[in-house]
Amino acid sequence: MERTGTILRGREFDPVEGRIVIDEDGRIEAIEEASVDSDDLILPAFVNAHTHIGDSIAKEAGGGLSLEELVAPPDGLKHRLLRAASRDELVSAMNRSLRFMQRAGTAACLDFREGGVAGVRMLEDAAAGLEIDAVSFARESADAMRAGDGFGASGANDATFDREREATREAGKPFGIHAGEVDESDISPALNLDPDFLVHMVHPEPVHLERIAESEIPVVVCPRSNLVTDVGLSPYEALDERTTLALGTDNVMLNSPSMFREMEFLAKLSALPADVILRMATVNGAEIADLEYGLLEPGRAARLLVLDGDSDNMAGARDPVRAVVRRAGVDDVREVVFGDR
């Protein structure tokens, strides 16, 4: 199998005109420079590094409510709606969100999964038959973590999570935790757990930034969600100077799980360069979950996004990386290739 066009190759996304060759095992065999008759733009498929797709049953519910009123366990609006829904309703709604993400160029989402072991099984059922990887960071118990792909903690002000952290080490699975979303009070105890990644980090103090730089713990930022819930915006440039950043769309209740929208939003409210943001949306999230894709280079699993570079929206773009990050959208997607399936 091969695809032709302008290929955003490697970690720097160097634009190369030519063809990308995929072997029978679904891996990238070669990227060959050549003159080709194609306006397509080929880039790695996205990795959405933080989602809560269980609340797909509650899209745009709770307008005007605070973050605590919306999502705080156990009685936030989201949790009341989850308890009221049937299993079939929850699975169907999650399936719809996964289908949208797949069509919009997302190869994997890292989902903080409510509902214990049963919640993990629901996500598995929602993803059945799809090509997107729904990576389950289970919550509520170590048993749920063992059933899923890792543990996703709500925040260090909710519990200590020491036992869950130790359980993830024993199981060889990653541990992520929300931190610094509303204020700085839960950041130090979250860092004390030595997590594999942090989510949000809207309110770090200088001491927290120093600790992040020393530990190099990756941070997943969710700018649209933070704006909608009115908690503020992360210090993106300061975090980028100190560690690896990845990008997530957070609650489907609040935002469409579109990485195109998330990238554009971040690009236009921050000073981060386009190539940094594209890495945040691809390889950086992939590395958090130890996935074998996220870059276009020989040996990687071939999960590709093919955009129509001659669409009315994209035609004439002078800088392909900047165009992907700031301009492209779902309507420009020609094909999503899951070569490893």
Side-chain angles (χ1 to χ4, degrees):
M1 182 194 310
E2 68 177 39
R3 296 294 184 272
T4 60
T6 298
I7 303 159
L8 300 185
R9 180 176 64 186
R11 195 170 290 268
E12 301 304 317
F13 305 115
D14 297 318
V16 174
E17 183 184 2
R19 62 179 57 89
I20 186 165
V21 182
I22 301 168
D23 67 22
E24 60 185 14
D25 294 322
R27 294 192 170 271
I28 299 172
E29 182 176 311
I31 297 174
E32 302 171 348
E33 295 189 42
S35 179
V36 297
D37 185 21
S38 173
D39 294 308
D40 287 348
L41 187 58
I42 304 171
L43 60 143
F46 303 125
V47 175
N48 190 336
H50 186 62
T51 61
H52 292 270
I53 68 166
D55 55 9
S56 296
I57 60 161
K59 296 170 185 173
E60 304 310 318
L65 298 182
S66 69
L67 177 63
E68 183 173 358
E69 293 169 326
L70 283 168
V71 301
D75 293 321
L77 176 62
K78 162 184 169 170
H79 296 279
R80 299 200 307 273
L81 293 173
L82 288 175
R83 288 194 295 270
S86 71
R87 187 183 195 281
D88 286 348
E89 288 172 332
L90 292 169
V91 170
S92 176
M94 288 192 288
N95 174 264
R96 298 291 294 266
S97 290
L98 290 168
R99 284 163 53 191
F100 170 79
M101 282 192 275
Q102 179 174 298
R103 182 169 61 85
T106 295
C109 66
L110 280 51
D111 195 64
F112 272 36
R113 189 84 288 278
E114 294 91 355
V117 174
V120 172
R121 301 302 178 219
M122 281 193 282
L123 183 61
E124 291 172 351
D125 289 350
L130 301 180
E131 294 179 292
I132 184 173
D133 286 331
V135 182
S136 184
F137 282 85
R139 306 170 76 174
E140 300 180 19
S141 72
D143 286 340
M145 174 274 295
R146 295 184 189 99
D149 302 293
F151 191 89
S154 56
N157 286 342
D158 297 333
T160 61
F161 296 109
D162 294 315
R163 288 181 296 177
E164 291 84 356
R165 181 64 183 108
E166 185 57 33
T168 58
R169 290 192 179 100
E170 293 173 358
K173 294 183 178 182
F175 177 94
I177 186 168
H178 295 89
E181 185 175 9
V182 176
D183 58 37
E184 76 287 349
S185 63
D186 62 354
I187 298 177
S188 288
L191 287 168
N192 291 342
L193 291 166
D194 189 25
D196 293 291
F197 64 99
L198 300 160
V199 181
H200 292 305
M201 291 300 292
V202 176
H203 299 286
E205 300 288 343
V207 63
H208 304 132
L209 293 173
E210 290 177 12
R211 290 186 66 182
I212 288 170
E214 291 170 1
S215 61
E216 298 182 337
I217 297 171
V219 174
V220 181
V221 296
C222 307
R224 286 186 301 151
S225 173
N226 296 154
L227 182 71
V228 170
T229 57
D230 198 30
V231 297
L233 296 171
S234 304
Y236 306 111
E237 296 83 0
L239 289 168
D240 179 59
E241 290 172 359
R242 291 164 173 82
T243 191
T244 300
L245 295 184
L247 194 60
T249 60
D250 205 5
N251 295 71
V252 177
M253 183 181 189
L254 306 174
N255 293 296
S256 164
S258 166
M259 294 298 281
F260 289 113
R261 289 189 180 185
E262 206 71 40
M263 288 192 301
E264 180 184 8
F265 189 80
L266 180 58
K268 292 180 178 179
L269 63 79
S270 76
L272 295 177
D275 63 320
V276 168
I277 293 174
L278 189 52
R279 279 190 289 277
M280 291 170 64
T282 54
V283 65
N284 292 356
E287 289 177 346
I288 284 175
D290 198 26
L291 302 172
E292 293 186 296
Y293 40 86
L295 291 179
L296 302 186
E297 56 188 17
R300 292 262 183 173
R303 294 198 158 205
L304 322 174
L305 177 56
V306 182
L307 301 181
D308 180 2
D310 194 39
S311 70
D312 291 339
N313 180 44
M314 296 289 284
R318 303 297 181 90
D319 182 328
V321 175
R322 187 176 169 90
V324 166
V325 169
R326 300 172 68 94
R327 177 173 297 275
V330 177
D331 289 344
D332 300 307
V333 175
R334 185 186 295 282
E335 181 185 15
V336 187
V337 177
F338 292 85
D340 58 338
R341 289 289 178 93

